[in-house]
Amino acid sequence: MKDLYCAVDLGGTKINIGIMTKEGEVLDNIKIPTEVEKGPDNSINNIKKTIYELLERLNLTKNDLKGIGIGSPGPIDSEKGIIVESCNLKGWKNVKLVEQLSDEFEGINIKLQNDGNAAALGEYLFGFGKGCKNFIYITVSTGVGGGAIIDSKLQVGASSNAFEAGHMIINMNGRKCSCGNNGCFEAYASGTSIEKIASERIVNEESIISEISKGEKVKAEHVFESAKRGDKLALEIVENEGYYLGIGIFNIMAMYNPEKISIGGGVSNCLDMFYDKMMDTINSMSLKPSTKICKIEKAKRDDCGLIGAGALAFYNE
Amino acid sequence: MKDLYCAVDLGGTKINIGIMTKEGEVLDNIKIPTEVEKGPDNSINNIKKTIYELLERLNLTKNDLKGIGIGSPGPIDSEKGIIVESCNLKGWKNVKLVEQLSDEFEGINIKLQNDGNAAALGEYLFGFGKGCKNFIYITVSTGVGGGAIIDSKLQVGASSNAFEAGHMIINMNGRKCSCGNNGCFEAYASGTSIEKIASERIVNEESIISEISKGEKVKAEHVFESAKRGDKLALEIVENEGYYLGIGIFNIMAMYNPEKISIGGGVSNCLDMFYDKMMDTINSMSLKPSTKICKIEKAKRDDCGLIGAGALAFYNE
């Protein structure tokens, strides 16, 4: 039998748990609600139960698992296997996730890593990053995150918190970010920012966005839908998304000089609507030796958060 | 005898050439003018002559050299050993530096790297970065540059152009940079920017800066001198330097999560005048798990550009 690994992609809303091979094939997976408000013990118990359920469905026992890898919202401490604190896991503090799972899965190698880093690893090993040495994965959804592969190794940083790209300042004194700072990349380019910017502007500007959102809270998908129907304001917001992404990606190119960048997350589903503006922005800027060699594409693996988490257990950091 | 290496720190104005040990001790060095305008062949001949002069002074022959390491303004191509082009070496294009030196120093290992990366390696191996795994060196002088050590390895990037920190956008639509972009870190925090900002402001604001500069072109040192004498405008410009550096360094912390950062270059000689503002800026921002663990100090080795260049020849990239 092939070596099998358990992958846990822990998010603020749901937890995706799967059993996978070293080749990135997911044999089976189950999504369960995180139920953050019920506390970490409840969630960890549900993770354990779900792993057993998956093993049963695949006719396996826990001894068939060579390792367990977990991607979690940060900040985490990967060496100690602790979720330090996270605004996506409200109320959870210093959760000894690895220790608690080790009690159940004794003798099995268990790794914990920041979810952006894990996803970068997944897309690197099994997606667009395959075969290159310097690779960046960016996820654009509620926030902006990601991870970096440098010289074929996952960048984790001194305390597992490297590549907080969403909080890189691109416009000091600019828009307020949820982190409290001003002018973060995320405060301009995330799905949440598209929503906020649209909500602010439809108050005074003519647009079909509120009609599309049926007067409810505007979502990024409403803005994209309105743009598809030719709405002038929505088109401008989508164009600006390309510009903001271009600026942030330019910064990443300047710092990392990668061969490839792939973009995942919900907003990337509409990448073709702002890809040209993003590329025009980058191509109009300096540092040609870094920008010209780099290819940018939509992430190939939607499940890179899951397979990357699993890969933590066998990939030598 | 100890293993000996030749170090070449090639700059736009001068070339510093030395003979050093693996322990970072410079046995002897000579600075010669670059004479960029006379073309690369002239400079390369002068480098060769100076190496022989140093060897003679130390009673050595070229067979005593285990390797030669060169730091050069980028963009370079380290694999091919070529200086691709550089605004600091005007008119030089695709200079086959390693090949030309190899003709003279046959059989000796010769390495070429971007000067910021080389300096980072020097400060990492022999200065403030010693012993840590994730380290950043920033140089603040005419421009802003530097290099990164990630998990004990020098980050070079896909085409040897990683860590162009000076051209990271911190204020889109902001001040024009010499690279043509708007809002680069360098357009705010470099010595050149201090000079430009001061020159712009003394036109309309009261200040002793032009008195200190004797009506000549304002230099950064004039601004620092005026600030020491209590000049209100100069004090504000120096304070802003701390703020801008704080923003740029925050970005570097967000992306690299380093244990230590050291700051070199001419402007760092006045670091104590804006250190507090820089730290206040960083400490007032988010990402505490990344900012709290990181120590920032003035670079310990003034000659890190030289010893880092030499170290390229024995340090395993």
Side-chain angles (χ1 to χ4, degrees), chain A residues 151 158 164 169 251 254-255 257, chain B residues 153 158-159 164 169 251 254 257:
Chain A
D151 204 10
E164 282 286 356
I169 309 293
N251 277 1
M255 302 305 286
N257 182 205
Chain B
K153 282 186 72 181
S159 56
E164 281 286 356
I169 309 292
N251 278 1
N257 183 202

Side-chain angles (χ1 to χ4, degrees), chain A residues 150 155 157-158 162 255-256, chain B residues 116-125 127-130 132-140 144-155 162-166 168 185 245 248-264 290 294-300 304:
Chain A
I150 298 169
Q155 181 196 24
M255 302 305 286
Y256 288 88
Chain B
N117 289 345
L121 183 60
E123 181 70 9
Y124 170 61
L125 293 175
F128 183 54
K130 222 172 171 172
C132 76
K133 287 177 81 178
N134 293 280
F135 172 72
I136 301 288
Y137 170 76
I138 303 169
T139 170
V140 187
V144 173
I149 307 293
I150 298 169
D151 205 8
S152 310
K153 282 186 72 181
L154 180 63
Q155 181 196 22
F163 210 83
E164 281 286 356
M168 165 175 73
F185 182 24
L245 262 184
I249 288 176
F250 173 84
N251 278 1
I252 290 165
M253 287 172 164
M255 302 305 286
Y256 287 88
N257 183 202
E259 292 153 72
K260 289 180 176 179
I261 296 176
S262 80
I263 306 175
S290 292
C294 186
K295 289 180 187 71
I296 310 179
E297 276 190 18
K298 184 174 170 347
K300 279 202 179 355
C304 61

Side-chain angles (χ1 to χ4, degrees), chain A residues 182-242:
Chain A
N182 290 301
C184 294
F185 183 23
E186 178 168 310
Y188 288 89
S190 68
T192 312
S193 301
I194 294 174
E195 294 166 11
K196 280 190 189 161
I197 292 167
S199 304
E200 287 163 19
R201 294 192 57 178
I202 55 175
V203 175
N204 296 313
E205 292 176 62
E206 215 170 292
S207 165
I208 62 165
I209 295 174
S210 46
E211 190 184 309
I212 299 284
S213 71
K214 297 184 176 125
E216 303 282 306
K217 190 179 168 298
V218 175
K219 293 193 169 175
E221 61 217 55
H222 301 140
V223 179
F224 288 115
E225 180 56 33
S226 304
K228 276 178 196 158
R229 299 190 189 187
D231 183 69
K232 208 181 136 214
L233 175 63
L235 282 166
E236 189 194 325
I237 293 171
V238 172
E239 176 107 340
N240 287 343
E241 173 67 12

Side-chain angles (χ1 to χ4, degrees), chain B residues 175-176 187 192-205 218 233 237:
Chain B
R175 286 184 73 85
K176 192 94 179 168
T192 312
S193 302
I194 293 175
E195 294 165 11
K196 279 191 189 160
I197 292 168
S199 303
E200 287 163 21
R201 294 191 60 178
I202 54 174
V203 176
N204 296 312
E205 292 175 64
V218 174
L233 175 63
I237 293 171

Side-chain angles (χ1 to χ4, degrees), chain A residues 75 79 84 133-134 150-151 153-173 179-182 184 188 243-244 247 250-259 284-287 289-290 293 317, chain B residues 75 79 84 133-134 150-151 153-173 179-182 184 188 243-244 247 250-259 284-287 289-290 293 317:
Chain A
E79 272 183 39
V84 179
K133 287 177 82 177
N134 293 281
I150 298 169
D151 204 10
K153 282 185 73 180
L154 179 63
Q155 181 196 24
V156 295
S159 56
S160 329
N161 295 308
F163 210 83
E164 282 286 356
H167 298 291
M168 165 175 72
I169 309 293
I170 61 169
N171 196 24
M172 55 186 191
N173 310 318
C179 76
N181 292 349
N182 290 301
C184 294
Y188 288 89
Y243 172 71
Y244 299 140
I247 297 286
F250 172 84
N251 277 1
I252 290 165
M253 289 171 162
M255 302 305 286
Y256 288 88
N257 182 205
E259 291 154 73
S284 71
M285 294 170 82
S286 68
L287 301 190
S290 292
I293 62 147
E317 290 170 12
Chain B
E79 273 181 40
V84 179
K133 287 177 81 178
N134 293 280
I150 298 169
D151 205 8
K153 282 186 72 181
L154 180 63
Q155 181 196 22
V156 295
S159 56
S160 328
N161 296 309
F163 210 83
E164 281 286 356
H167 299 291
M168 165 175 73
I169 309 292
I170 60 168
N171 197 24
M172 54 187 192
N173 310 318
C179 77
N181 292 348
N182 290 302
C184 294
Y188 288 90
Y243 172 72
Y244 300 140
I247 297 285
F250 173 84
N251 278 1
I252 290 165
M253 287 172 164
M255 302 305 286
Y256 287 88
N257 183 202
E259 292 153 72
S284 71
M285 295 171 82
S286 68
L287 302 189
S290 292
I293 62 147
E317 289 170 15

